[in-house]
Coordinates of all heavy atoms in Angstrom, one line a residue:
P3 N 0.8 -1.2 0.0 CA 0.0 0.0 0.0 C 0.9 1.3 0.0 O 2.0 1.3 0.5 CB -0.8 -0.1 1.3 CG -0.2 -1.2 2.1 CD 0.7 -2.0 1.2
A4 N 0.3 2.3 -0.6 CA 1.0 3.6 -0.7 C 1.0 4.3 0.7 O 1.9 5.2 0.9 CB 0.4 4.5 -1.7
G5 N 0.0 4.0 1.5 CA -0.1 4.7 2.8 C -1.4 4.4 3.5 O -2.0 3.4 3.1
Y6 N -1.8 5.3 4.4 CA -3.1 5.1 5.0 C -3.7 6.4 5.5 O -3.0 7.4 5.6 CB -2.9 4.1 6.2 CG -1.9 4.5 7.2 CD1 -2.3 5.2 8.3 CD2 -0.6 4.1 7.1 CE1 -1.3 5.6 9.3 CE2 0.4 4.4 8.0 CZ 0.0 5.2 9.1 OH 0.9 5.5 10.1
F7 N -5.0 6.4 5.8 CA -5.7 7.6 6.3 C -6.1 7.3 7.7 O -6.4 6.2 8.1 CB -7.0 7.8 5.5 CG -6.8 8.0 4.0 CD1 -6.9 6.9 3.1 CD2 -6.5 9.2 3.5 CE1 -6.7 7.1 1.8 CE2 -6.4 9.4 2.2 CZ -6.5 8.4 1.3
L8 N -6.2 8.4 8.5 CA -6.8 8.3 9.8 C -8.1 9.2 9.8 O -8.0 10.3 9.2 CB -5.9 8.7 10.9 CG -4.6 7.8 11.1 CD1 -3.7 8.4 12.1 CD2 -5.1 6.5 11.5
P9 N -9.1 8.9 10.6 CA -10.3 9.8 10.6 C -9.9 11.0 11.4 O -9.1 11.0 12.3 CB -11.3 8.9 11.3 CG -10.6 7.9 12.1 CD -9.3 7.6 11.3
D10 N -10.6 12.1 11.1 CA -10.5 13.3 11.8 C -11.0 13.1 13.2 O -12.1 12.5 13.4 CB -11.3 14.4 11.1 CG -11.1 15.8 11.8 OD1 -11.4 15.9 13.0 OD2 -10.6 16.7 11.1
P11 N -10.2 13.4 14.3 CA -10.7 13.1 15.6 C -11.9 13.9 16.1 O -12.6 13.5 17.0 CB -9.5 13.5 16.5 CG -8.6 14.4 15.7 CD -8.9 14.1 14.2
K12 N -12.2 15.0 15.4 CA -13.4 15.8 15.7 C -14.6 15.4 14.9 O -15.7 15.6 15.3 CB -13.1 17.3 15.6 CG -12.0 17.7 16.6 CD -11.7 19.2 16.4 CE -10.7 19.6 17.4 NZ -10.3 21.1 17.2
E13 N -14.4 15.0 13.7 CA -15.5 14.7 12.7 C -15.1 13.4 12.0 O -14.4 13.4 11.0 CB -15.6 15.8 11.7 CG -16.7 15.7 10.7 CD -18.1 15.5 11.4 OE1 -18.5 16.4 12.2 OE2 -18.8 14.5 11.1
K14 N -15.7 12.3 12.6 CA -15.3 10.9 12.1 C -15.6 10.7 10.7 O -15.0 9.7 10.1 CB -16.0 9.9 13.0 CG -15.6 10.0 14.5 CD -14.2 9.7 14.7 CE -13.9 9.7 16.2 NZ -12.5 9.9 16.5
L15 N -16.5 11.4 10.1 CA -16.8 11.2 8.6 C -15.8 11.9 7.7 O -15.9 11.7 6.5 CB -18.2 11.7 8.3 CG -19.3 11.0 9.1 CD1 -20.7 11.6 8.8 CD2 -19.3 9.5 8.7
L16 N -14.9 12.7 8.3 CA -13.9 13.3 7.5 C -12.5 12.7 7.6 O -12.2 12.0 8.6 CB -13.7 14.8 7.9 CG -15.0 15.7 7.7 CD1 -14.7 17.1 8.3 CD2 -15.4 15.7 6.3
V17 N -11.7 12.8 6.6 CA -10.3 12.3 6.7 C -9.5 13.3 7.5 O -9.6 14.5 7.4 CB -9.7 12.2 5.2 CG1 -8.2 11.9 5.3 CG2 -10.5 11.2 4.4
G18 N -8.7 12.7 8.4 CA -7.8 13.5 9.2 C -6.4 13.5 8.6 O -6.2 13.9 7.5
D19 N -5.4 12.9 9.2 CA -4.1 12.8 8.7 C -4.0 11.7 7.6 O -4.6 10.7 7.7 CB -3.1 12.4 9.8 CG -3.0 13.5 10.9 OD1 -3.4 14.7 10.7 OD2 -2.4 13.2 12.0
I20 N -3.1 12.0 6.7 CA -2.8 11.1 5.6 C -1.3 10.7 5.7 O -0.5 11.6 5.6 CB -3.2 11.7 4.2 CG1 -4.6 12.1 4.1 CG2 -2.8 10.7 3.1 CD1 -5.0 13.0 2.9
T21 N -1.0 9.4 5.8 CA 0.4 9.0 5.9 C 0.8 8.3 4.7 O 0.1 7.3 4.2 CB 0.6 8.1 7.2 OG1 0.2 8.9 8.3 CG2 2.0 7.7 7.3
V22 N 1.9 8.7 4.1 CA 2.4 8.1 2.9 C 3.6 7.2 3.3 O 4.5 7.6 4.0 CB 2.9 9.2 1.9 CG1 3.5 8.6 0.6 CG2 1.7 10.1 1.5
K23 N 3.7 6.0 2.7 CA 4.8 5.1 3.0 C 5.5 4.7 1.7 O 6.5 4.0 1.8 CB 4.2 3.8 3.7 CG 3.6 4.1 5.0 CD 3.1 2.9 5.7 CE 4.1 2.0 6.2 NZ 4.7 2.2 7.5
S24 N 5.0 5.1 0.6 CA 5.6 4.7 -0.7 C 6.8 5.6 -1.1 O 6.7 6.8 -1.1 CB 4.6 4.8 -1.8 OG 5.2 4.6 -3.1
P25 N 8.0 5.0 -1.4 CA 9.1 5.8 -1.8 C 8.9 6.4 -3.2 O 9.7 7.3 -3.6 CB 10.3 4.8 -1.8 CG 9.6 3.5 -2.0 CD 8.3 3.6 -1.3
K26 N 7.8 6.1 -3.9 CA 7.6 6.7 -5.2 C 7.0 8.1 -5.1 O 7.1 8.9 -6.0 CB 6.6 5.8 -6.0 CG 7.2 4.5 -6.3 CD 6.2 3.6 -7.1 CE 6.7 2.3 -7.4 NZ 5.8 1.4 -8.1
A27 N 6.4 8.4 -3.9 CA 5.9 9.8 -3.7 C 6.9 10.7 -3.2 O 7.8 10.3 -2.5 CB 4.7 9.7 -2.8
Q28 N 6.8 12.0 -3.5 CA 7.7 13.0 -3.0 C 7.0 14.3 -2.7 O 6.0 14.6 -3.3 CB 8.9 13.2 -3.8 CG 8.7 13.9 -5.2 CD 10.0 14.1 -6.0 OE1 11.0 13.7 -5.6 NE2 9.8 14.7 -7.1
T29 N 7.5 15.1 -1.8 CA 6.9 16.4 -1.5 C 7.2 17.4 -2.6 O 8.1 17.1 -3.4 CB 7.4 16.9 -0.2 OG1 8.7 17.3 -0.3 CG2 7.2 15.9 1.0
I30 N 6.6 18.5 -2.5 CA 6.9 19.6 -3.5 C 8.4 20.1 -3.4 O 8.9 20.5 -4.4 CB 5.9 20.8 -3.3 CG1 5.9 21.7 -4.5 CG2 6.2 21.5 -2.0 CD1 4.8 22.6 -4.7
K31 N 9.0 19.8 -2.2 CA 10.4 20.2 -2.0 C 11.3 19.0 -2.4 O 12.5 19.1 -2.2 CB 10.6 20.6 -0.6 CG 9.8 21.7 -0.1 CD 10.5 23.0 -0.5 CE 9.8 24.2 0.2 NZ 10.3 25.5 -0.1
G32 N 10.7 17.9 -2.9 CA 11.6 16.8 -3.4 C 12.0 15.8 -2.3 O 12.8 14.9 -2.5
I33 N 11.4 15.9 -1.1 CA 11.7 15.0 0.0 C 10.8 13.7 -0.2 O 9.6 13.8 -0.5 CB 11.4 15.6 1.4 CG1 12.2 16.9 1.6 CG2 11.6 14.6 2.5 CD1 13.7 16.7 1.7
K34 N 11.4 12.5 0.0 CA 10.7 11.3 -0.1 C 11.2 10.2 0.9 O 12.2 10.5 1.6 CB 10.9 10.7 -1.5 CG 12.4 10.5 -1.9 CD 12.5 10.2 -3.4 CE 13.9 10.1 -3.8 NZ 14.8 11.2 -3.5
I35 N 10.4 9.2 1.0 CA 10.8 8.1 1.9 C 12.2 7.6 1.6 O 12.5 7.4 0.4 CB 9.7 6.9 1.8 CG1 8.3 7.4 2.0 CG2 10.1 5.8 2.7 CD1 8.0 8.0 3.3
G36 N 13.0 7.3 2.6 CA 14.4 6.9 2.3 C 15.4 8.0 2.4 O 16.6 7.8 2.6
D37 N 14.9 9.3 2.2 CA 15.8 10.4 2.4 C 16.3 10.5 3.9 O 15.7 9.9 4.7 CB 15.2 11.7 2.0 CG 15.1 11.9 0.5 OD1 15.6 11.1 -0.3 OD2 14.4 12.8 0.1
T38 N 17.3 11.2 4.1 CA 17.9 11.3 5.5 C 17.5 12.5 6.2 O 17.0 13.5 5.6 CB 19.4 11.2 5.4 OG1 19.9 12.4 4.7 CG2 19.9 10.0 4.7
F39 N 17.7 12.5 7.5 CA 17.5 13.7 8.3 C 18.4 14.9 7.8 O 17.9 16.0 7.7 CB 17.9 13.4 9.8 CG 17.6 14.6 10.7 CD1 16.3 15.1 10.8 CD2 18.6 15.2 11.4 CE1 16.1 16.2 11.7 CE2 18.4 16.2 12.3 CZ 17.1 16.8 12.4
Q40 N 19.6 14.6 7.3 CA 20.4 15.6 6.7 C 19.8 16.2 5.5 O 19.8 17.5 5.3 CB 21.8 15.0 6.3 CG 22.8 16.0 5.8 CD 24.1 15.3 5.5 OE1 24.2 14.1 5.5 NE2 25.1 16.1 5.1
D41 N 19.1 15.4 4.7 CA 18.4 16.0 3.5 C 17.3 16.9 4.0 O 17.1 18.0 3.4 CB 17.7 14.9 2.7 CG 18.8 13.9 2.1 OD1 19.9 14.4 1.8 OD2 18.4 12.7 2.0
L42 N 16.6 16.6 5.1 CA 15.5 17.4 5.6 C 16.0 18.8 6.1 O 15.5 19.8 5.8 CB 14.8 16.7 6.8 CG 13.6 15.8 6.5 CD1 13.1 15.2 7.8 CD2 12.5 16.6 5.8
V43 N 17.2 18.7 6.8 CA 17.7 19.9 7.4 C 18.2 20.9 6.3 O 18.2 22.1 6.4 CB 18.9 19.6 8.4 CG1 19.6 20.8 8.9 CG2 18.3 18.8 9.6
K44 N 18.7 20.3 5.2 CA 19.1 21.2 4.1 C 17.9 22.0 3.5 O 18.0 23.1 3.2 CB 19.7 20.3 2.9 CG 21.1 19.8 3.2 CD 21.6 19.0 2.0 CE 22.9 18.3 2.3 NZ 23.3 17.4 1.3
V45 N 16.7 21.3 3.5 CA 15.5 22.0 2.9 C 14.9 22.8 4.0 O 14.3 23.9 3.7 CB 14.6 20.9 2.4 CG1 13.3 21.6 1.9 CG2 15.2 20.2 1.2
F46 N 14.8 22.3 5.2 CA 14.2 23.0 6.4 C 15.2 23.2 7.5 O 15.2 22.4 8.4 CB 13.0 22.2 6.9 CG 12.0 21.9 5.9 CD1 11.8 20.6 5.3 CD2 11.1 22.9 5.4 CE1 10.9 20.3 4.4 CE2 10.1 22.6 4.4 CZ 10.0 21.3 3.9
P47 N 16.0 24.2 7.4 CA 17.1 24.4 8.5 C 16.6 24.5 9.9 O 17.3 24.1 10.8 CB 17.8 25.7 8.0 CG 17.4 25.9 6.6 CD 16.1 25.3 6.4
N48 N 15.4 25.0 10.1 CA 14.8 25.1 11.4 C 13.7 24.1 11.8 O 12.9 24.4 12.6 CB 14.3 26.6 11.6 CG 15.3 27.6 11.4 OD1 16.4 27.5 12.0 ND2 15.0 28.6 10.7
I49 N 13.8 23.0 11.1 CA 12.8 21.9 11.3 C 12.7 21.5 12.8 O 13.7 21.4 13.5 CB 13.0 20.7 10.4 CG1 11.7 19.9 10.3 CG2 14.2 19.9 10.8 CD1 11.7 18.9 9.1
E50 N 11.5 21.3 13.3 CA 11.3 20.9 14.7 C 11.3 19.4 14.8 O 10.8 18.7 13.9 CB 9.9 21.4 15.2 CG 9.8 22.9 15.4 CD 8.5 23.3 16.0 OE1 7.9 22.5 16.7 OE2 8.1 24.4 15.7
V51 N 11.9 18.9 15.8 CA 12.0 17.4 16.0 C 11.4 17.1 17.4 O 11.8 17.7 18.4 CB 13.4 16.9 15.9 CG1 13.5 15.4 16.0 CG2 14.0 17.3 14.5
H52 N 10.6 16.1 17.5 CA 10.0 15.7 18.8 C 9.9 14.1 18.8 O 9.7 13.5 17.7 CB 8.6 16.3 19.0 CG 8.6 17.8 19.1 ND1 9.1 18.4 20.2 CD2 8.3 18.7 18.2 CE1 9.1 19.7 20.0 NE2 8.5 19.9 18.8
G53 N 9.9 13.6 20.0 CA 9.7 12.2 20.2 C 8.3 12.0 20.8 O 7.6 12.9 21.0
S54 N 8.0 10.7 21.0 CA 6.7 10.4 21.7 C 7.0 9.5 22.9 O 7.8 8.5 22.8 CB 5.7 9.7 20.7 OG 6.2 8.5 20.3
E55 N 6.5 9.9 24.0 CA 6.8 9.2 25.3 C 6.4 7.7 25.3 O 7.1 6.9 25.9 CB 6.1 9.9 26.5 CG 6.7 11.3 26.8 CD 6.0 12.4 26.0 OE1 5.1 12.1 25.1 OE2 6.4 13.6 26.2
I56 N 5.3 7.4 24.6 CA 4.8 6.0 24.7 C 5.4 5.1 23.6 O 5.9 4.1 23.8 CB 3.3 6.0 24.7 CG1 2.8 6.7 26.0 CG2 2.7 4.5 24.6 CD1 1.3 6.9 26.1
E57 N 5.2 5.6 22.3 CA 5.6 4.8 21.2 C 7.1 4.9 20.8 O 7.6 4.0 20.2 CB 4.8 5.2 19.9 CG 3.4 5.0 20.0 CD 2.7 6.3 20.5 OE1 3.4 7.3 20.7 OE2 1.4 6.3 20.6
G58 N 7.8 5.9 21.3 CA 9.2 6.1 21.0 C 9.4 6.6 19.6 O 10.5 6.6 19.1
R59 N 8.4 7.1 18.9 CA 8.5 7.5 17.5 C 9.1 8.9 17.5 O 8.9 9.7 18.4 CB 7.1 7.6 16.8 CG 6.5 6.2 16.7 CD 5.2 6.3 16.1 NE 4.6 4.9 16.0 CZ 3.3 4.7 15.8 NH1 2.5 5.7 15.7 NH2 2.9 3.4 15.8
T60 N 9.9 9.2 16.5 CA 10.5 10.5 16.3 C 10.0 11.1 15.0 O 10.0 10.5 13.9 CB 12.1 10.3 16.2 OG1 12.5 9.7 17.4 CG2 12.7 11.7 16.1
H61 N 9.5 12.3 15.1 CA 9.0 13.1 13.9 C 9.7 14.4 13.8 O 9.9 15.1 14.8 CB 7.5 13.3 14.0 CG 6.7 12.0 13.8 ND1 6.3 11.2 14.8 CD2 6.2 11.5 12.7 CE1 5.6 10.2 14.4 NE2 5.6 10.3 13.0
A62 N 10.0 14.8 12.6 CA 10.5 16.1 12.3 C 9.3 16.8 11.5 O 8.7 16.2 10.6 CB 11.7 16.1 11.4
T63 N 9.0 18.0 11.9 CA 7.8 18.6 11.4 C 8.1 20.0 10.8 O 8.8 20.8 11.4 CB 6.7 18.8 12.5 OG1 6.4 17.5 13.0 CG2 5.4 19.4 11.9
A64 N 7.6 20.2 9.6 CA 7.7 21.5 8.9 C 6.4 21.8 8.2 O 6.0 21.0 7.4 CB 8.9 21.5 7.9
N65 N 5.9 23.0 8.5 CA 4.6 23.4 7.9 C 3.5 22.3 8.3 O 3.4 22.0 9.4 CB 4.7 23.6 6.4 CG 5.8 24.6 6.0 OD1 5.9 25.6 6.7 ND2 6.6 24.3 5.0
N66 N 2.8 21.7 7.3 CA 1.8 20.8 7.7 C 2.2 19.3 7.4 O 1.4 18.4 7.3 CB 0.5 21.0 6.9 CG 0.6 20.8 5.5 OD1 1.6 21.0 4.8 ND2 -0.5 20.3 4.9
L67 N 3.5 19.1 7.3 CA 4.1 17.8 7.0 C 4.9 17.3 8.2 O 5.7 18.1 8.7 CB 4.9 17.8 5.7 CG 4.2 18.1 4.4 CD1 5.2 18.1 3.3 CD2 3.1 17.1 4.2
S68 N 4.8 16.0 8.5 CA 5.6 15.4 9.5 C 6.4 14.2 8.9 O 5.8 13.5 8.1 CB 4.8 14.8 10.7 OG 4.1 15.9 11.4
Y69 N 7.6 14.1 9.2 CA 8.5 13.1 8.7 C 8.9 12.2 9.8 O 9.6 12.6 10.7 CB 9.7 13.8 8.0 CG 9.4 14.8 7.0 CD1 9.2 16.1 7.3 CD2 9.3 14.4 5.7 CE1 8.9 17.1 6.4 CE2 9.0 15.4 4.7 CZ 8.7 16.7 5.1 OH 8.4 17.6 4.1
R70 N 8.5 10.9 9.7 CA 8.9 10.0 10.8 C 10.3 9.5 10.5 O 10.6 9.1 9.3 CB 7.9 8.8 10.8 CG 8.2 7.9 12.0 CD 7.2 6.8 12.1 NE 7.6 5.8 13.1 CZ 7.0 4.7 13.3 NH1 5.9 4.4 12.7 NH2 7.4 3.9 14.2
L71 N 11.1 9.5 11.5 CA 12.5 9.0 11.3 C 12.7 7.7 12.0 O 12.0 7.3 12.9 CB 13.5 10.1 12.0 CG 13.3 11.5 11.4 CD1 14.2 12.4 12.3 CD2 13.8 11.5 10.0
D72 N 13.7 6.9 11.5 CA 13.9 5.6 12.0 C 14.8 5.5 13.2 O 15.6 4.7 13.4 CB 14.5 4.7 10.9 CG 15.9 5.1 10.4 OD1 16.4 6.1 10.8 OD2 16.5 4.3 9.7
V73 N 14.6 6.5 14.1 CA 15.3 6.5 15.4 C 14.2 6.6 16.5 O 13.2 7.2 16.3 CB 16.3 7.6 15.6 CG1 17.4 7.5 14.6 CG2 15.6 9.0 15.3
A74 N 14.5 5.9 17.6 CA 13.5 5.9 18.8 C 13.9 7.0 19.8 O 15.1 7.2 20.1 CB 13.5 4.6 19.4
N75 N 12.9 7.8 20.2 CA 13.1 8.8 21.3 C 11.8 8.7 22.2 O 10.7 9.0 21.7 CB 13.3 10.2 20.7 CG 14.7 10.4 20.2 OD1 15.6 10.5 21.0 ND2 14.8 10.3 18.9
F76 N 12.0 8.4 23.4 CA 10.8 8.2 24.3 C 10.6 9.5 25.2 O 10.0 9.5 26.2 CB 11.0 7.0 25.2 CG 10.8 5.7 24.5 CD1 11.9 5.1 23.9 CD2 9.6 5.2 24.3 CE1 11.8 3.9 23.2 CE2 9.4 4.0 23.6 CZ 10.5 3.4 23.0
S77 N 11.1 10.6 24.7 CA 10.9 11.9 25.3 C 10.4 12.9 24.2 O 10.9 12.9 23.1 CB 12.2 12.4 25.9 OG 12.0 13.7 26.5
Y78 N 9.4 13.7 24.6 CA 8.9 14.7 23.6 C 10.0 15.7 23.2 O 10.2 16.0 22.1 CB 7.7 15.4 24.2 CG 7.1 16.4 23.2 CD1 6.4 16.0 22.1 CD2 7.3 17.8 23.3 CE1 5.8 16.8 21.2 CE2 6.8 18.7 22.4 CZ 6.0 18.2 21.4 OH 5.5 19.1 20.5
E79 N 10.7 16.2 24.2 CA 11.8 17.2 24.0 C 13.1 16.4 23.6 O 13.5 15.6 24.3 CB 12.1 18.0 25.2 CG 10.9 18.9 25.7 CD 10.5 19.9 24.6 OE1 11.4 20.4 23.9 OE2 9.3 20.2 24.6
I80 N 13.6 16.8 22.4 CA 14.8 16.1 21.9 C 15.8 17.2 21.5 O 15.5 18.2 20.9 CB 14.4 15.3 20.6 CG1 13.4 14.2 20.9 CG2 15.7 14.7 20.0 CD1 12.9 13.5 19.7
D81 N 17.1 16.9 21.8 CA 18.2 17.8 21.3 C 18.4 17.4 19.9 O 18.8 16.2 19.6 CB 19.4 17.5 22.2 CG 20.6 18.3 21.7 OD1 20.5 19.1 20.7 OD2 21.6 18.2 22.4
R82 N 18.1 18.2 18.9 CA 18.2 18.0 17.5 C 19.6 17.5 17.1 O 19.7 16.7 16.2 CB 17.8 19.2 16.7 CG 17.2 18.9 15.4 CD 16.7 20.1 14.7 NE 17.8 20.7 14.0 CZ 17.7 21.6 13.0 NH1 16.5 22.1 12.8 NH2 18.7 22.0 12.4
A83 N 20.6 18.0 17.8 CA 22.0 17.6 17.5 C 22.2 16.1 17.7 O 23.2 15.6 17.2 CB 22.9 18.5 18.3
K84 N 21.4 15.5 18.5 CA 21.5 14.0 18.8 C 20.9 13.1 17.8 O 21.0 11.9 17.8 CB 21.0 13.7 20.2 CG 21.9 14.4 21.3 CD 21.5 14.0 22.6 CE 22.4 14.7 23.6 NZ 22.2 14.3 25.0
I85 N 20.2 13.7 16.8 CA 19.6 12.9 15.7 C 20.7 12.7 14.7 O 21.3 13.6 14.2 CB 18.4 13.7 15.1 CG1 17.3 14.0 16.1 CG2 17.8 12.8 13.9 CD1 16.6 12.9 16.7
P86 N 20.9 11.4 14.4 CA 22.0 11.1 13.4 C 21.6 11.7 12.0 O 20.4 11.6 11.6 CB 22.0 9.6 13.3 CG 21.3 9.1 14.5 CD 20.4 10.2 14.9
A87 N 22.6 12.3 11.4 CA 22.3 12.8 10.0 C 21.8 11.8 9.1 O 21.1 12.0 8.1 CB 23.6 13.5 9.5
T88 N 22.2 10.5 9.3 CA 21.9 9.4 8.4 C 20.5 8.8 8.8 O 20.1 7.8 8.1 CB 23.0 8.3 8.5 OG1 23.1 7.9 9.9 CG2 24.3 8.8 8.0
A89 N 19.8 9.3 9.8 CA 18.5 8.7 10.1 C 17.6 8.8 8.9 O 17.6 9.9 8.2 CB 17.9 9.5 11.3
K90 N 16.9 7.8 8.6 CA 16.1 7.7 7.4 C 14.6 8.1 7.6 O 14.1 7.8 8.7 CB 16.1 6.3 6.8 CG 17.4 5.8 6.4 CD 17.8 6.2 5.0 CE 19.1 5.6 4.6 NZ 19.7 6.2 3.5
I91 N 14.0 8.7 6.7 CA 12.5 9.0 6.7 C 11.8 7.7 6.3 O 12.1 7.1 5.3 CB 12.2 10.1 5.7 CG1 12.9 11.4 6.1 CG2 10.7 10.3 5.7 CD1 12.8 12.5 5.0
T92 N 10.9 7.3 7.2 CA 10.1 6.0 7.0 C 8.7 6.3 6.6 O 8.0 5.4 6.0 CB 10.2 5.1 8.2 OG1 9.6 5.8 9.3 CG2 11.6 4.7 8.5
E93 N 8.2 7.5 6.9 CA 6.8 7.9 6.6 C 6.7 9.4 6.5 O 7.5 10.1 7.1 CB 5.8 7.5 7.7 CG 5.6 6.0 7.9 CD 4.6 5.7 9.1 OE1 4.4 6.6 9.9 OE2 4.2 4.6 9.1
I94 N 5.8 9.9 5.6 CA 5.5 11.3 5.6 C 4.0 11.5 5.8 O 3.2 10.8 5.1 CB 5.9 11.9 4.2 CG1 7.4 11.7 3.9 CG2 5.5 13.4 4.1 CD1 7.8 12.1 2.5
T95 N 3.7 12.3 6.8 CA 2.3 12.5 7.1 C 1.9 13.9 6.8 O 2.5 14.9 7.1 CB 2.0 12.2 8.6 OG1 2.4 10.9 8.9 CG2 0.6 12.5 9.0
I96 N 0.8 14.0 6.0 CA 0.1 15.3 5.7 C -0.9 15.5 6.9 O -1.8 14.7 7.0 CB -0.6 15.2 4.4 CG1 0.3 14.8 3.3 CG2 -1.3 16.6 4.1 CD1 -0.4 14.4 2.0
N97 N -0.6 16.4 7.7 CA -1.4 16.7 8.9 C -2.6 17.4 8.6 O -2.6 18.4 7.8 CB -0.5 17.4 10.0 CG 0.7 16.7 10.4 OD1 0.6 15.5 10.8 ND2 1.8 17.3 10.2
R98 N -3.7 17.0 9.2 CA -5.0 17.6 9.0 C -4.9 19.1 9.5 O -4.1 19.4 10.3 CB -6.1 16.9 9.8 CG -6.0 17.1 11.3 CD -7.2 16.4 12.0 NE -7.1 16.5 13.4 CZ -7.5 17.6 14.1 NH1 -8.0 18.7 13.5 NH2 -7.3 17.7 15.4
G99 N -5.8 19.9 8.9 CA -5.9 21.3 9.4 C -6.3 21.3 10.9 O -7.2 20.6 11.3
R100 N -5.7 22.1 11.7 CA -5.9 22.1 13.1 C -7.0 23.1 13.4 O -7.2 24.1 13.4 CB -4.6 22.4 13.9 CG -3.5 21.4 13.5 CD -3.4 20.2 14.4 NE -2.3 19.4 14.0 CZ -2.5 18.1 13.8 NH1 -3.6 17.5 14.0 NH2 -1.5 17.4 13.5

């Protein structure tokens, strides 16, 4: 599959976030699955990075897109300098309008 949809948490009949897993897709900035954290930083020098306390997932977020990285972080606050430049993007999520 190319990815998956999640329902909008406020309106279950609407689509919420859309997650892409296919390396064939790319963003308007040319970022795709398999690219590295270093590639992201080149395009988005001030990209925010956060972990998740329960799942240990790490996401870098710019504008309405989140890039899941293949490194585990069980704390929300992350020192961006500790993310390996070679960490790979495994998913790209188009975040629903907030």
Side-chain angles (χ1 to χ4, degrees):
Y6 57 91
F7 302 95
L8 294 175
D10 186 298
K12 294 180 182 177
E13 182 60 55
K14 300 294 183 199
L15 297 177
L16 298 178
V17 172
D19 295 345
I20 301 169
T21 299
V22 177
K23 296 180 73 83
S24 171
K26 294 180 181 179
Q28 67 179 4
T29 70
I30 196 163
K31 300 277 189 182
I33 301 294
K34 59 192 174 308
I35 306 299
D37 285 351
T38 64
F39 182 60
Q40 182 177 10
D41 297 327
L42 271 177
V43 172
K44 285 180 188 173
V45 175
F46 302 107
N48 298 317
I49 196 163
E50 292 184 28
V51 181
H52 296 287
S54 62
E55 291 88 357
I56 296 171
E57 300 93 359
R59 296 178 181 160
T60 303
H61 287 91
T63 304
N65 303 320
N66 70 325
L67 298 177
S68 295
Y69 305 88
R70 184 172 173 191
L71 302 173
D72 67 351
V73 293
N75 282 285
F76 289 91
S77 175
Y78 182 76
E79 297 297 328
I80 298 173
D81 179 357
R82 208 175 90 164
K84 293 186 179 182
I85 302 293
T88 57
K90 300 273 187 197
I91 298 169
T92 61
E93 295 179 342
I94 299 173
T95 299
I96 304 165
N97 300 304
R98 69 175 179 82
R100 307 263 181 232

